[in-house]
Amino acid sequence: MKIQLLALPFLFLIACGGSEPAKESKKPAAAAKTEAAPKKEAPAPKPAPEPETPVVVDDGTVVTINLTANDAMQFNTAEIKIAAGRTVKLNLKHVGKMPAEMMGHNFVLLAQGTDLNAFSAAGVTAPKSDYIAKAMADKVIAKTKLLGGGQSDSIEFKAPAAGTYDFLCTFPGHSAIMKGKLIVS
Ligand code: ZN
């Protein structure tokens, strides 16, 4: 008797175990079919590798800098190298989805000798001027607007004299990560 009682649930498990994989096996088959169909169209998404756009593009006349910023508080580069005296066109695109009030991003290029941390800290109380303190506005060589997700801005400026310059996002707290060097040679 004892053996039979123990065996019953065991058989029940086998029965259930046997039927479940049968159901599941149909699902992967169906999924495989739906996956197989888009594979034929795969060449379409392939030619759109936006991240592969070079950060700096020099066409001989204008040096274009393609910057992106995302919802993870990251610029796509921490170092930009350009030549002195060149005309620079900088495109900043916020590739995230969060609004500017929560995850605002801008590009602000600082004059040499400016304390990045002090500049950033002073701007916290200046939301109306994109978190750039009026008292420090003269330290700005170039800046974009403060952007929210999906927005972009383009600015033009003349590359400053040879040297290394700090750039940052002035949104409160961001410059700890969102900063980099513009190296002019
Ligand atoms: Zn930011």
Side-chain angles (χ1 to χ4, degrees):
M1 282 294 283
K2 273 186 185 176
I3 291 166
Q4 276 180 317
L5 282 171
L6 285 168
L8 275 171
F10 185 63
L11 286 169
F12 181 73
L13 282 171
I14 290 171
C16 288
S19 65
E20 273 181 26
K23 281 180 189 171
E24 280 176 22
S25 68
K26 282 181 186 174
K27 282 179 187 173
K33 276 181 187 173
T34 52
E35 272 174 31
K39 265 186 183 177
K40 287 175 185 172
E41 295 165 29
K46 268 187 183 177
E50 279 186 40
E52 281 182 26
T53 303
V55 176
V56 179
V57 180
D58 189 345
D59 69 359
T61 308
V62 177
V63 179
T64 303
I65 300 172
N66 296 303
L67 270 191
T68 62
N70 62 22
D71 282 342
M73 262 169 59
Q74 294 165 325
F75 281 127
N76 57 336
T77 185
E79 191 178 280
I80 303 166
K81 291 179 177 177
I82 56 171
R86 299 293 303 277
T87 298
V88 178
K89 184 185 181 188
L90 184 139
N91 304 313
L92 175 64
K93 184 171 186 184
H94 189 322
V95 295
K97 290 178 179 174
M98 295 170 77
E101 299 77 41
M102 291 173 66
M103 186 55 71
H105 297 315
N106 60 1
F107 166 91
V108 178
L109 182 63
L110 300 178
Q112 279 183 315
T114 307
D115 183 329
L116 183 145
N117 293 325
F119 182 91
S120 181
V124 169
T125 56
K128 287 181 181 175
S129 52
D130 290 351
Y131 301 101
I132 296 168
K134 282 178 186 172
M136 293 201 170
D138 62 334
K139 306 295 184 191
V140 176
I141 295 174
K143 65 180 170 74
T144 67
K145 289 185 279 191
L146 191 77
L147 307 172
Q151 297 179 318
S152 57
D153 190 24
S154 293
I155 56 168
E156 260 192 38
F157 60 95
K158 197 105 174 173
T164 301
Y165 300 78
D166 288 314
F167 67 84
L168 74 153
C169 169
T170 58
F171 194 88
H174 286 198
S175 67
I177 302 170
M178 297 191 75
K179 62 182 173 183
K181 305 280 186 188
L182 178 78
I183 299 164
V184 185
S185 54

